[in-house]
Amino acid sequence: MAEYAFPAQLLEELHAHWRPPHSSTSSALPDDLTLLRILETCYHASLRTAELRATRCVLAYVSTDSLSNRSLMRFEHPAILTASELVRLAPVTELHRTLIGCHHFGGMLKIWGLFEHGQAWQTVDSISGTTTREEDLPDDCLTITIEGPGALSVARGEKEVVRLRDGKIIAPHKHPLRQMDKPLGTFFETLVKGLKEPETGDAIISSFKVEREQLLDIYMMAIARILERIRSERHGGSVVISASPLSRRVAYRTYTVIGHAALADDILNHCRALRGLQAAPIDPSSEAERFRAEAAVRQSSQSLIRGVNRVSLLAAIDGAVLLDGKLRIEGFGVRFPVLLPPDTTILDALTGIEYPCDEWGLRHQSVFSVCQKCDEAVGFVISQDGSVKAVKSVQGRLHFWDGILD
């Protein structure tokens, strides 16, 4: 008989992995009764919908004294923490950017309001691990992310401690897109290493002194921003990134794009601007120089965001958006023939559970099909309910990574 884990089973894991660091603004792990109440409330909220929308939000157990006043939206009358309140407030929050704050008031757990954290381009996603400045969120603040029905992620600040998914407790892990020794991380690291200077054709990392980690961070953040933007539109979609050209037999392009500027060029320009700002002196006599460096960062950031938005808007057309390794648009409204052999299965890389491919709809199966045919492609499927999967063939076997933005 299968055994399923519930919020109560998370307590032991939390105590084992919490280990709060020394911090001037302490938000220690609450007592077990309070902790269980928070986890169970979030769990039950995850199973509910509002106007057919899945509940997705982040709850933080933190007092207002630990946060900057400029980021707070405090309620005059704090609301009692219930699943219904979380379902009601979830649509007005932006996942990982706007958090719901709760704490004890008069011996009761209540929601005191909302608060934002992070800034500008660096807050796009959690992949790079640099989404939040320390002053925005206490390092030892308890946060619970409702990722989907029955799916919770518990974190200390921005660091994941434990996750509950498909009735299983999953130990903390590095994001699959940033695990350089794993299939997805290796794929994107190879693409970044292969980027060339537009003028000379030289490798960017060797010809221009760009920190590899910084370039990879911004490249991955651009992909995450594309997926997040598609998800926010709630119409679903799919994006396929292929390191090698796909023939028309494999990918029929309703609209073929030629001569489009690569998003990788915007990424490189943003890296240059950031390095220029880091190198700019901070003394009063160099104020003009630093102002120009800050303006360059704003301009490159805006250009990058425009490029990201341009790509994400194309997902509104039926079919996939097809990008090359430089994130150049090759086509949209792309259709991949579903030619999966009977009884083809796909492995959940996180849980190790194997599923028949025909359990999913046509959008998923078409991405499964192209990834099976092309080892040098990664597909992303964004469902209307907000879930995002990455798909790749690994040694001839299909794998998927669920909750890629969570």
Side-chain angles (χ1 to χ4, degrees):
M1 178 181 291
E3 294 184 3
Y4 296 98
F6 293 95
Q9 281 75 55
L10 289 176
L11 292 179
E12 183 177 347
E13 291 290 330
L14 272 174
H15 285 295
H17 294 100
W18 184 255
R19 299 188 187 94
H22 298 292
S23 173
S24 59
T25 55
S26 178
S27 297
L29 194 65
D31 62 83
D32 283 357
L33 188 61
T34 299
L35 187 55
L36 185 59
R37 168 73 188 281
I38 293 172
L39 291 171
E40 288 184 337
T41 302
C42 289
Y43 182 80
H44 287 289
S46 76
L47 303 177
R48 298 177 56 178
T49 60
E51 298 180 354
L52 302 182
R53 290 192 301 263
T55 301
R56 296 170 56 83
C57 62
V58 183
L59 178 71
Y61 179 77
V62 61
S63 69
T64 56
D65 296 337
S66 303
L67 303 170
S68 170
N69 285 329
R70 69 178 183 275
S71 69
L72 304 184
M73 183 186 295
R74 283 184 282 193
F75 301 158
E76 182 180 2
H77 303 290
I80 295 174
L81 177 64
T82 64
S84 297
E85 286 294 343
L86 292 180
V87 172
R88 185 177 296 115
L89 288 171
V92 302
T93 68
E94 184 179 353
L95 199 65
H96 300 303
R97 179 72 181 268
T98 310
L99 280 68
I100 300 171
C102 77
H103 211 264
H104 276 101
F105 292 86
M108 296 186 65
L109 274 173
K110 292 187 178 182
I111 298 172
W112 53 255
L114 310 174
F115 68 99
E116 294 190 359
H117 68 101
Q119 64 173 358
W121 177 254
Q122 280 70 28
T123 63
V124 170
D125 76 307
S126 59
I127 291 172
S128 68
T130 58
T131 57
T132 307
R133 290 188 170 189
E134 290 184 3
E135 62 263 32
D136 291 328
L137 193 65
D139 285 339
D140 51 359
C141 172
L142 171 69
T143 63
I144 299 95
T145 301
I146 301 175
E147 300 175 344
L152 303 179
S153 175
V154 186
R156 174 171 53 80
E158 288 292 319
K159 185 176 181 181
E160 185 181 64
V161 177
V162 67
R163 178 177 291 194
L164 178 66
R165 183 185 292 275
D166 295 331
K168 294 181 179 293
I169 294 176
I170 302 171
H173 65 286
K174 192 173 182 180
H175 197 284
L177 294 182
R178 296 309 314 274
Q179 290 179 295
M180 297 304 112
D181 59 338
K182 300 296 183 181
L184 291 181
T186 301
F187 175 82
F188 287 109
E189 185 179 38
T190 302
L191 290 185
V192 168
K193 285 182 177 178
L195 296 180
K196 306 291 184 181
E197 284 280 11
E199 297 84 5
T200 65
D202 296 330
I204 285 174
I205 292 177
S206 61
S207 66
F208 180 73
K209 294 181 180 178
V210 174
E211 295 290 342
R212 183 181 66 86
E213 283 298 317
Q214 184 186 58
L215 183 58
L216 187 59
D217 279 349
I218 299 176
Y219 186 98
M220 299 311 305
M221 288 163 66
I223 293 173
R225 184 63 176 262
I226 290 169
L227 301 177
E228 186 63 60
R229 175 71 186 274
I230 296 171
R231 179 166 72 174
S232 69
E233 296 297 327
R234 302 187 184 278
H235 51 55
S238 55
V239 176
V240 173
I241 301 172
S242 180
S244 57
L246 298 179
S247 69
R248 291 184 66 85
R249 290 179 56 194
V250 175
Y252 174 77
R253 300 160 176 80
T254 304
Y255 300 97
T256 301
V257 178
I258 57 174
H260 184 262
L263 193 57
D265 296 338
D266 291 325
I267 292 171
L268 177 59
N269 289 334
H270 190 55
C271 280
R272 286 184 171 131
L274 287 174
R275 286 183 63 82
L277 179 59
Q278 291 166 359
I282 57 175
D283 56 280
S285 62
S286 304
E287 186 176 347
E289 182 180 349
R290 187 162 186 85
F291 178 79
R292 285 192 294 269
E294 291 174 347
V297 170
R298 286 194 297 271
Q299 184 176 4
S300 64
S301 178
Q302 290 167 359
S303 178
L304 184 52
I305 290 172
R306 282 196 298 270
V308 162
N309 290 343
R310 189 182 308 118
V311 173
S312 61
L313 287 172
L314 300 179
I317 298 286
D318 286 343
V321 180
L322 180 61
L323 307 175
D324 68 7
K326 293 189 67 177
L327 304 185
R328 179 187 288 109
I329 301 169
E330 291 197 341
F332 60 100
V334 181
R335 303 182 186 280
F336 308 111
V338 180
L339 300 173
L340 293 169
D343 302 322
T344 301
T345 60
I346 186 167
L347 186 71
D348 185 333
L350 191 59
T351 65
I353 300 174
E354 198 169 20
Y355 298 92
C357 287
D358 57 14
E359 281 193 4
W360 281 276
L362 186 60
R363 177 182 291 152
H364 281 78
Q365 291 190 50
S366 64
V367 173
F368 295 166
S369 181
V370 70
C371 288
Q372 187 186 54
K373 291 180 177 63
C374 181
D375 289 339
E376 295 186 319
V378 166
F380 295 96
V381 185
I382 305 94
S383 300
Q384 289 178 313
D385 66 2
S387 65
V388 182
K389 295 181 182 68
V391 181
K392 192 179 188 313
S393 176
V394 181
Q395 297 179 344
R397 188 177 188 186
L398 282 172
H399 290 63
F400 77 88
W401 292 259
D402 205 359
I404 208 71
L405 292 183
D406 300 325

